[in-house]
């Protein structure tokens, strides 16, 4: 485990490029945040996060991955990323940093600065690298958050420490990951680990023994009582280390690094938009007559629904058997046919219709497990109770909960960032119209006409109400021009009439802006859908031509 400290790196003229980039971004986007440690901007550590990253955190900041894996190699650029998981189970960015000076206090400063950029909201859980300095910083700055080691970092270190074992026994790495990732209970992990160590004669290996001694800090079965957002062992293969693994290994310049970072963040955003569109435009096929499945299909995003659906279908092979009843609480034993040795215990309260399972899947991933669903089925609970539907996994994950965020940023950014939040809300609402709009060219033409008409309305409103709009924005700064306009117009209109007029015009501008955003979102979604249809038709035509030739 890396314990080095007090390292300093020199990245040459790239630091000046970074400084210019940050200043330009801050000038162009009031929601952009950056900060340097110390007084010397060219030699210190720097953190930055754009408005999208800060908005992402307001929705999905319950679990965070702090990637400092560059510390495992001196040749890598000291680049740190903060990432999370969106409502489709895909990575999202929460901020980036360059650490040119690695003092003992550097990571404390980094986490404090990141937390300040995220309005002081502490995450539920943090995944970080098994590094002494990182762990000390997390414990000091985020004591309320549950911290664990990134097990994929542990796996990488294990491959290095046990290189000879892996070369002689190619199956060892696979069996180790299976033992760690697939254990349902502590007892199952302990048994599997003991068997693995004995089978490969590693009982006296100090590295493996050190890992076993801290197993509660990196083996999933020991942290399943806290939300980490993992949907499966395969999905959590540390996709957030995108720059560390793909780009930093080639030692790029800072210019290249920033461009790659923007490119990846943009691709993640585009993937989210596509997933949103797929979720809203295609209804998933139901596999059971259960009203709970239909309820889940209407609430969850497509990928999360597929995960829930798999658990629901498994209830057919996992019967719930009563083993105890006491004081309104019934305890069930739930096991799959033929796998009774892997049974789980579910406690169900008739009073509040709540259930808890020994597998802790809901607490860990936010998806209700097959064992609880089997008990619901036995108790004739037809609809999933609201507390078992986490908003962060739903279609509406990015509506409503971010409204309080803009005021925390303060100053000029408040207006722009509230626009960003409204844009997310409008985009979610607009996607509801995409399915109908994609069905006919007539609806497409209507959308185009509506967009053009909305553009004319906005231009007319801006021309008519530019004065009042300008005064509303500048009033917070005590603008003298605002006072002059008030004095000039006071003889013509009473105070009540002026206030009423301003309210009417402001409301009209707001409504027109909202309509324009909706129309624009609809049109963009239609364009994307048409491109997808075009691609599918091209493939079909090509296949038809090939079949004719044959």
């Amino acid at each position: 485990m890396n314990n080095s400290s007090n390292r300093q790196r020199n990245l040459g003229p790239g630091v000046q490029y970074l400084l210019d980039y940050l200043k330009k971004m801050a000038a162009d986007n009031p929601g952009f945040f950056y900060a340097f440690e110390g007084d010397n901007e060219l030699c210190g550590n720097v953190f930055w996060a754009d408005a999208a990253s800060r908005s992402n955190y307001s929705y999905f900041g319950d679990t965070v991955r702090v990637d400092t894996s560059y510390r495992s190699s001196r040749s890598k650029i000291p680049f740190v990323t903060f990432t999370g998981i969106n409502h489709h189970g895909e990575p999202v960015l929460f901020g980036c940093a360059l650490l040119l000076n690695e003092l003992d206090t550097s990571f404390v400063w980094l986490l404090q600065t990141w937390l300040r950029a995220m309005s002081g909201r502490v995450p539920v859980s943090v995944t970080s690298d098994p590094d002494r300095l990182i762990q000390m910083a997390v414990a000091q700055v985020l004591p309320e958050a549950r911290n664990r080691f990134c097990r994929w970092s542990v796996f990488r270190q294990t491959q290095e420490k046990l290189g000879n074992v892996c070369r002689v026994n190619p199956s060892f790495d696979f069996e180790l990951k299976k033992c760690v990732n697939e254990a349902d209970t502590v007892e199952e992990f302990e048994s599997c680990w003991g068997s693995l160590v004995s089978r490969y004669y590693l009982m006296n290996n100090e590295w493996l023994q050190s890992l076993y001694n801290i197993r509660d800090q990196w083996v999933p079965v020991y942290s399943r009582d806290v939300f980490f957002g993992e949907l499966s062992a395969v999905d959590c293969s540390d996709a957030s280390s995108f720059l560390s693994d793909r780009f930093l290994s080639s030692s790029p310049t800072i210019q290249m690094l920033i461009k790659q970072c923007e490119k990846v963040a943009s691709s993640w955003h585009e993937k989210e938009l596509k997933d949103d569109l797929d979720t809203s435009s295609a209804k998933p096929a139901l596999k059971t007559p259960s009203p709970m499945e239909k309820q889940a299909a209407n609430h969850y995003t497509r990928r999360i629904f597929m995960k829930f659906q798999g658990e629901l279908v498994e209830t057919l092979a996992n019967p719930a058997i009563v083993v105890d009843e006491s004081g309104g609480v019934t305890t069930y034993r739930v096991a799959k046919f033929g796998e009774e040795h892997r049974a789980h215990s579910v406690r169900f309260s008739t009073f509040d219709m709540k259930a808890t399972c020994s597998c802790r899947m809901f607490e860990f991933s936010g998806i209700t497990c097959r064992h609880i669903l089997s008990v619901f089925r036995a108790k004739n609970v037809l609809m999933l109770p609201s507390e078992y539907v986490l908003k962060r996994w739903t279609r509406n994950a990015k509506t409503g909960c971010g409204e309080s965020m803009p005021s925390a940023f303060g100053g000029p950014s408040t207006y722009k960032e509230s626009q960003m939040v409204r844009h997310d809300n409008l985009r979610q609402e607009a996607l509801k119209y995409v399915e109908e709009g994609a069905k006919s060219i007539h609806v497409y033409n209507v959308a185009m006409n509506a967009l053009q008409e909305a553009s004319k309305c906005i231009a007319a409103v801006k021309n008519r109400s530019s004065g009042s709009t300008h005064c509303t924005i500048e009033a917070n700064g005590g603008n003298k021009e605002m006072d002059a306009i008030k004095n000039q117009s006071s003889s013509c209109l009473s105070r009540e009439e002026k206030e009423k007029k301003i309210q009417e015009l402001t409301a009209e501008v707001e409504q027109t802006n909202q309509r324009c955003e909706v129309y624009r979102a609809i049109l963009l979604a239609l364009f994307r859908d048409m491109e997808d249809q075009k691609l599918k038709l091209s493939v079909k035509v090509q296949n038809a031509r090939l079949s004719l030739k044959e």
Side-chain angles (χ1 to χ4, degrees), residues 274-483:
K274 184 180 184 303
D275 289 339
D276 285 341
L277 183 59
D278 290 344
T279 294
S280 63
S281 61
K283 295 181 179 179
L286 303 183
K287 297 183 178 181
T288 74
S290 169
M292 189 181 291
E293 183 182 17
K294 185 176 181 180
Q295 173 197 10
N298 291 332
H299 281 86
Y300 287 131
T301 60
R302 185 175 183 84
R303 183 182 177 190
I304 303 306
F305 169 73
M306 299 299 289
K307 177 68 175 177
F308 174 84
Q309 185 183 56
E311 295 297 314
L312 185 64
V313 171
E314 281 293 327
T315 62
L316 300 175
N318 286 265
I321 301 173
V322 177
V323 295
D324 182 63
E325 288 187 83
S326 176
V329 176
T330 306
T331 302
Y332 291 83
R333 184 176 183 274
V334 183
K336 190 172 184 177
F337 287 114
E339 297 183 6
E340 282 73 15
H341 61 288
R342 302 187 69 179
H344 283 279
S345 175
V346 178
R347 289 170 55 85
F348 178 80
S349 173
T350 307
F351 177 73
D352 54 10
M353 304 296 286
K354 290 184 178 180
T356 57
C357 180
S358 59
C359 80
R360 296 291 183 179
M361 176 177 169
F362 179 74
E363 289 81 358
F364 188 67
S365 67
I367 307 295
T368 311
C369 66
R370 63 194 65 180
H371 315 113
I372 290 179
L373 293 176
S374 291
V375 171
F376 283 165
R377 187 163 171 261
K379 298 295 291 186
N380 202 31
V381 178
L382 300 180
M383 302 295 285
L384 197 62
S386 59
E387 57 265 33
Y388 290 95
V389 182
L390 295 191
K391 185 175 181 180
R392 62 114 55 236
W393 291 134
T394 67
R395 299 162 178 253
N396 299 320
K398 299 183 73 172
T399 59
C401 63
E403 291 295 339
S404 61
M405 178 188 64
S407 61
F409 294 158
S413 65
T414 301
Y415 177 72
K416 289 291 185 69
E417 299 234 11
S418 62
Q419 279 187 322
M420 176 181 64
V421 173
R422 290 198 300 272
H423 178 269
D424 282 337
N425 294 343
L426 289 169
R427 178 169 60 83
Q428 293 290 331
E429 186 68 22
L431 286 172
K432 297 177 182 179
Y433 302 95
V434 172
E435 184 176 1
E436 292 299 323
K439 289 181 179 178
S440 71
I441 190 63
H442 173 70
V443 179
Y444 167 79
N445 290 332
V446 170
M448 280 292 293
N449 293 334
L451 182 60
Q452 293 170 356
E453 186 63 29
S455 180
K456 294 177 183 178
C457 291
I458 288 178
V461 171
K462 284 184 176 180
N463 291 333
R464 189 166 65 246
S465 59
S466 59
S468 63
T469 304
H470 173 71
C471 293
T472 300
I473 298 173
E474 299 289 343
N476 294 329
N479 185 271
K480 294 181 179 179
E481 182 181 353
M482 176 64 177
D483 296 332

Side-chain angles (χ1 to χ4, degrees), residues 46-265:
V46 57
F47 167 83
W48 69 94
D50 60 15
S53 295
R54 302 170 80 187
S55 177
N56 285 334
Y57 188 78
S58 72
Y59 304 117
F60 310 116
D62 41 18
T63 185
V64 177
R65 162 75 166 108
V66 185
D67 180 15
T68 56
S69 55
Y70 77 89
R71 282 174 60 79
S72 63
S73 173
R74 175 75 185 181
S75 63
K76 290 184 178 180
I77 287 182
F79 186 64
V80 181
T81 58
F82 294 81
T83 55
I85 306 168
N86 69 7
H87 51 319
H88 301 287
E90 298 290 340
V92 288
L93 191 63
F94 292 154
C96 306
L98 272 173
L99 298 183
L100 304 184
N101 298 325
E102 293 180 270
L103 304 175
D104 289 346
T105 59
S106 296
F107 292 102
V108 172
W109 170 85
L110 174 62
L111 291 179
Q112 290 175 337
T113 305
W114 169 78
L115 191 61
R116 188 169 77 251
M118 302 299 134
S119 305
R121 176 185 169 189
V122 178
V124 173
S125 61
V126 177
T127 302
S128 55
D129 294 303
D131 182 290
R132 180 181 62 85
L133 292 181
I134 309 300
Q135 297 305 314
M136 290 174 58
V138 172
Q140 179 177 335
V141 181
L142 304 171
E144 301 172 22
R146 177 69 169 270
N147 182 32
R148 68 169 183 178
F149 296 162
C150 172
R151 65 181 179 277
W152 296 97
S153 295
V154 174
F155 288 150
R156 282 195 293 267
Q157 292 184 17
T158 303
Q159 289 176 342
E160 295 173 3
K161 300 290 185 179
L162 302 179
N164 292 333
V165 177
C166 294
R167 282 190 290 273
V168 176
N169 304 283
S171 62
F172 172 77
D173 184 58
F174 170 79
E175 291 188 37
L176 174 63
K177 291 177 179 177
K178 183 177 180 180
C179 172
V180 172
N181 293 330
E182 299 184 12
D184 271 348
T185 64
V186 170
E187 293 74 19
E188 183 178 348
F189 168 75
E190 298 279 356
S191 174
C192 180
W193 181 276
S195 175
L196 180 70
V197 170
S198 299
R199 189 160 58 254
Y200 289 98
Y201 303 100
L202 298 171
M203 293 79 72
N204 298 322
N205 185 277
E206 293 183 1
W207 171 253
L208 277 183
Q209 185 60 44
S210 68
L211 290 183
Y212 179 77
N213 292 340
I214 57 171
R215 57 194 180 280
D216 59 324
Q217 295 180 284
W218 66 281
V219 178
V221 74
Y222 291 93
S223 58
R224 293 185 68 86
D225 57 330
V226 178
F227 180 82
F228 280 95
E230 288 187 11
L231 301 178
S232 72
V234 176
D235 294 332
C236 67
S237 57
D238 208 15
S240 59
S241 299
F242 61 102
L243 287 168
S244 297
D245 293 336
R246 289 181 56 190
F247 307 127
L248 298 190
S249 58
S250 58
S251 299
T253 62
I254 287 185
Q255 294 93 319
M256 293 172 58
L257 173 65
I258 291 175
K259 289 179 181 178
Q260 292 286 13
C261 183
E262 289 184 330
K263 181 179 179 181
V264 173

Side-chain angles (χ1 to χ4, degrees), residues 482-522:
M482 176 64 177
D483 296 332
I485 293 175
K486 284 184 177 180
N487 293 332
Q488 182 179 0
S489 59
S490 61
S491 60
C492 302
L493 297 173
S494 67
R495 182 182 180 86
E496 291 77 11
E497 290 175 332
K498 286 188 294 182
E499 291 180 350
K500 183 179 180 181
K501 186 64 175 178
I502 290 175
Q503 290 175 359
E504 290 177 352
L505 292 175
T506 302
E508 188 175 353
V509 171
E510 183 68 22
Q511 291 172 4
T512 306
N513 279 334
Q514 290 180 2
R515 286 198 298 271
C516 185
E517 290 295 335
V518 171
Y519 293 146
R520 183 179 290 110
I522 292 173

